[in-house]
Amino acid sequence: MKDWIIKGNFLESESPDRFHIVENGFLPVTDGLCRGLFSVVPVQYQGLPVTDYGDRLILPGMTDLHVHAPQFAFRGLGMDMELLDWLNHYTFPEESKYGDLSYARKAYKDFVACLLHSTTTRAAIFATIHSAATLELMEQLERSGLQTLVGKVNMDRNCPEVVREPDVTTALQNTEQWICEARSRFARTKPILTPRFIPTCSDALMHGLKDLQRRYQLPVQSHLSENYGEISWVRKLSPTASCYGGAYDRFGLLGGDHACIMAHCVHSTDEELELLQRNGVYIAHSPESNMNLASGVAPISRYLELGLSVGLASDVAGGSHLSLLQAMMHAIQVSKLRWQLLDSNVRPLTLEQAFYLATAGGGAFFGKVGRFAEGYAFDAVVLDDSSLSHPQHLDLRSRLERLVYLSDDRHIVAKYVAGIKLFG
Amino acid sequence: MKDWIIKGNFLESESPDRFHIVENGFLPVTDGLCRGLFSVVPVQYQGLPVTDYGDRLILPGMTDLHVHAPQFAFRGLGMDMELLDWLNHYTFPEESKYGDLSYARKAYKDFVACLLHSTTTRAAIFATIHSAATLELMEQLERSGLQTLVGKVNMDRNCPEVVREPDVTTALQNTEQWICEARSRFARTKPILTPRFIPTCSDALMHGLKDLQRRYQLPVQSHLSENYGEISWVRKLSPTASCYGGAYDRFGLLGGDHACIMAHCVHSTDEELELLQRNGVYIAHSPESNMNLASGVAPISRYLELGLSVGLASDVAGGSHLSLLQAMMHAIQVSKLRWQLLDSNVRPLTLEQAFYLATAGGGAFFGKVGRFAEGYAFDAVVLDDSSLSHPQHLDLRSRLERLVYLSDDRHIVAKYVAGIKLFG
């Protein structure tokens, strides 16, 4: 990892509501860390080699806080059901195929290639219950240079036998073996505990996972308050819990002493939100998925006002697109429909807010990630919008807005993760 | 125009709720017209040359029932306002630039190139008030081979001077000259009367346009019931009209004796719907635009049940994407949010319905267009989905669904309009 200076047009989030834009700026990078954005190279960095991206846009790498790698194969398919039917009809049959390592190898290759060529530099990823296939996914991710958290999924009830772990003891043994192997083999690719969601995890399994969480100091990811049918089911399964979030909390698996991501939180009650805030849980907002599965729209601008930790997520294959630029667009769009159709007290998301979610908001789950400020990991993507011709001059904020609505993989010309260049 | 046979995998709408799919089928084309889909070449067409598209998908060309050519330049920009503010703040200043013919030439070149390389074969297009720029647009469209209706926009009140016609007499004279010149110069590119919407058109202008409509037997396009602020404004401007649609109808400009497209109809009352149905008006459903401008979601599955004529529209730049495959995705997505957030009595749109809107539904405005049945114009697009790798076999409906969610211009490999090959 060498030291150098990146030159170009930088955009980052100063706060959820404000861009920090430096046109024709300089970003010194030493030891893989950002040293801040400057209009002129500071004396102590003069002499470092300069990589000049000219008129291109340089953005912080983006964090996908929730994505299902095995579902990538059927993204854009079966978009005609709500969550619980969709799981039984499409998702579980597809995930069962990952018991076959050669299928997994092939399917995960497509996923990793697409993730690599996106603006995503960090991701929290669900695999399946299969340890071998999950390690294969981690191996491929490790080679890609991306920085990820990957979870072997746990589920031992209320699901077809083909995706159900045979019993709690086996589930926990397999999970522990997978944790140990992953920790010994990978540097950039780390295990995260992944009970799928309350309906598919017995109390005994959850207690066992809490033990593993403590023993190995692992983060946790799961699903929360996505869909009305799911929420009523959880109410029946966990009648003593005060809310859906409480059903995780009673096992100590909702943050607090560990880092935790809960996907969706579309229909979280005030009590649940308070619990999430108290426990420092990250909310993975998955706007396209919540639209495709007709789940609803989470009131994200309200969550930001409350000071909750929120990031953005593709949630493939509930979402059909891995691109977080597209997720930004979807986040803005669905927030407008929520405002118009449901509740005009919750303001639509701004471009600034959506960008914050995709960069600094979700990045914070990985530490100092998602900005170019001093000490942040150097995660960056370089975008070339010259093919999006425009008859006149556009400022940088406008150029970013157009990329959010109009860009695809062709516009991503370089990518750096944790100080290492992946391509470009 | 030669006679030949197209071979490949065909998908078309048999009805709003049903695909007609012919795998490895044959479509004889003579005199630029489809002769139906067959599994085996009928005797009378044997001997015609065959163009074999192998495993690719062949779809009817799509109709964009509502798009603003001058707004293409700022698609994906300024997505932070509702309709009336958005018009004053972004749209009118941009449209005023088309008084400069060299600006128009440059900007329209981008629009036409993008439209040409989309799945759209027919379109109903708004230009600006400027005759010269509108003729320039028509000239470019004529050369492209697309079949379009283009309107020089009329507006003479309630808008900035830079986009306002100076007086009714001049407006009508200019419009008539433009109609005559367009009719003498173009074969594929036809004029359509285009009063922008009630708020910007005086009664005198509307009466004059009705005269022109009668004299030249022209179709009409405009906007209807898009946004609540707009609707209240129309109520004030036309207090005697029974509904917003009635405000057009009292000038004879809401269908009946002429073909008519009304864009949006998001908030149409039952009375307005009845009027649209009685007068045979086509509704241009613009889902992405209605989301971006926070207008709401039109209850399209209900409109289809009522037997109304509905097609799909990009409505660039309210919508940021010219692609009607993307418009299909948006139509499905927003209908799910409407169902979830507003009214569970109106069912979400299916893939079949969205495809129908984009092909046969909107195509009917142009005559026998949007299907491959006997006597329909041969409008077709050929899509190659081989780059969307999948670990297993997919049926044709699934492959179409994936293209709706995942494809871009790279997947469009050939295009025919009215029997003529434009590329591929």
Side-chain angles (χ1 to χ4, degrees), chain A residues 256-317:
Chain A
D257 61 359
H258 60 276
C260 178
I261 300 167
M262 283 288 154
H264 307 302
C265 304
V266 174
H267 305 290
S268 292
T269 59
D270 286 350
E271 184 180 1
E272 186 164 280
L273 293 174
E274 209 182 340
L275 187 57
L276 295 177
Q277 189 153 31
R278 196 163 58 238
N279 289 5
V281 172
Y282 276 69
I283 294 169
H285 177 45
S286 312
E288 194 198 1
S289 169
N290 300 156
M291 180 155 58
N292 284 337
L293 299 179
S295 303
V297 183
I300 298 299
S301 70
R302 182 167 167 247
Y303 293 176
L304 289 174
E305 278 165 25
L306 291 171
L308 287 156
S309 297
V310 193
L312 207 52
S314 67
D315 191 26
V316 161

Side-chain angles (χ1 to χ4, degrees), chain B residues 277-313:
Chain B
Q277 189 153 31
R278 196 162 61 237
N279 288 6
V281 173
Y282 276 69
I283 295 169
H285 177 45
S286 312
E288 194 198 2
S289 169
N290 299 156
M291 181 155 56
N292 284 337
L293 299 179
S295 303
V297 183
I300 298 299
S301 70
R302 180 165 170 249
Y303 293 177
L304 289 174
E305 277 165 25
L306 291 171
L308 286 156
S309 298
V310 193
L312 206 53

Side-chain angles (χ1 to χ4, degrees), chain A residues 386-406:
Chain A
S386 57
S387 66
L388 296 172
S389 69
H390 194 279
Q392 63 200 319
H393 177 76
L394 292 174
D395 64 19
L396 285 174
R397 185 191 181 282
S398 297
R399 288 171 60 190
L400 173 67
E401 188 174 15
R402 278 213 313 174
L403 285 164
V404 166
Y405 285 88
L406 303 177

Side-chain angles (χ1 to χ4, degrees), chain B residues 79-128:
Chain B
M79 288 297 171
D80 54 355
M81 290 182 185
E82 279 192 271
L83 176 67
L84 301 177
D85 289 333
W86 178 81
L87 285 173
N88 282 310
H89 205 89
Y90 298 113
T91 309
F92 292 152
E94 177 64 26
E95 290 196 3
S96 75
K97 296 175 191 160
Y98 289 75
D100 172 358
L101 193 57
S102 70
Y103 185 90
R105 187 169 293 128
K106 198 166 140 189
Y108 282 149
K109 200 172 149 229
D110 290 341
F111 167 74
V112 174
C114 186
L115 196 65
L116 177 60
H117 289 94
S118 74
T119 56
T120 300
T121 54
R122 313 256 167 170
I125 302 171
F126 277 54
T128 62

Side-chain angles (χ1 to χ4, degrees), chain A residues 165-182:
Chain A
E165 297 179 289
D167 58 76
V168 176
T169 312
T170 313
L172 294 172
Q173 273 174 357
N174 288 347
T175 303
E176 186 162 13
Q177 276 172 16
W178 158 73
I179 294 166
C180 295
E181 188 163 348

Side-chain angles (χ1 to χ4, degrees), chain A residues 73 77-79 97 103 110 288 292 294 320-321 333 336 340 389-390 392 398 401 405-406 409-410, chain B residues 73 77-79 97 103 110 228 288 292 294 320-321 333 336 340 389-390 392 398 401 405-406 409-410:
Chain A
L77 288 173
M79 288 298 171
K97 296 176 192 159
Y103 184 89
D110 290 341
E288 194 198 1
N292 284 337
S320 14
H321 302 90
Q333 290 178 327
K336 289 173 176 172
Q340 173 60 247
S389 69
H390 194 279
Q392 63 200 319
S398 297
E401 188 174 15
Y405 285 88
L406 303 177
D409 54 293
R410 286 169 284 192
Chain B
L77 287 173
M79 288 297 171
K97 296 175 191 160
Y103 185 90
D110 290 341
Y228 285 126
E288 194 198 2
N292 284 337
S320 13
H321 301 90
Q333 290 178 327
K336 289 174 177 172
Q340 173 60 245
S389 69
H390 194 280
Q392 63 199 318
S398 297
E401 188 173 16
Y405 285 86
L406 304 177
D409 54 293
R410 285 169 284 192

Side-chain angles (χ1 to χ4, degrees), chain A residues 5 26-28 35-48:
Chain A
I5 290 169
F26 299 89
L27 172 66
R35 300 305 171 191
L37 291 177
F38 303 96
S39 298
V40 178
V41 181
V43 175
Q44 69 267 40
Y45 303 116
Q46 284 175 9
L48 285 183

Side-chain angles (χ1 to χ4, degrees), chain B residues 182-196:
Chain B
R183 281 154 74 112
S184 72
R185 281 172 58 183
F186 310 121
R188 291 185 269 266
T189 316
K190 294 176 180 153
I192 180 168
L193 283 178
T194 306
R196 183 170 210 118

